[in-house]
Amino acid sequence: MSIRIKVKQSFKCKNCDGIGYNSLSANTTNSDDSVEFVCNDCDGSGEVWKDLDIPLSSLKRILK
């Protein structure tokens, strides 16, 4: 029987490449301005937290 522990790990957001915002080019003929808005996937933090299940034996090796 293997005991598994739930942990959270952060990963770089793939939607905004870890910057925390996305840019959208304005489609106007007179201006080349871009609009930046907060990424919806990571809420502007640049990282996404995911739950992982690791076995107890791996946790022992990490803590050594």
Side-chain angles (χ1 to χ4, degrees):
M1 181 174 142
S2 175
I3 299 173
R4 302 185 78 74
I5 299 173
K6 187 171 280 200
V7 295
K8 288 189 175 245
Q9 184 175 6
S10 66
F11 295 95
K12 186 168 118 177
C13 180
K14 293 181 182 178
N15 189 28
C16 66
D17 293 327
I19 298 172
Y21 61 88
N22 294 321
S23 62
L24 178 67
S25 297
N27 294 328
T28 59
T29 56
N30 296 335
S31 175
D32 290 332
D33 294 337
S34 63
V35 177
E36 296 175 351
F37 57 95
V38 175
C39 176
N40 287 335
D41 290 348
C42 65
D43 293 325
S45 67
E47 60 188 13
V48 178
W49 289 88
K50 295 185 180 180
D51 290 333
L52 299 174
D53 289 332
I54 62 169
L56 188 59
S57 59
S58 294
L59 182 62
K60 286 180 184 178
R61 276 187 264 132
I62 291 171
L63 294 176
K64 283 186 178 181

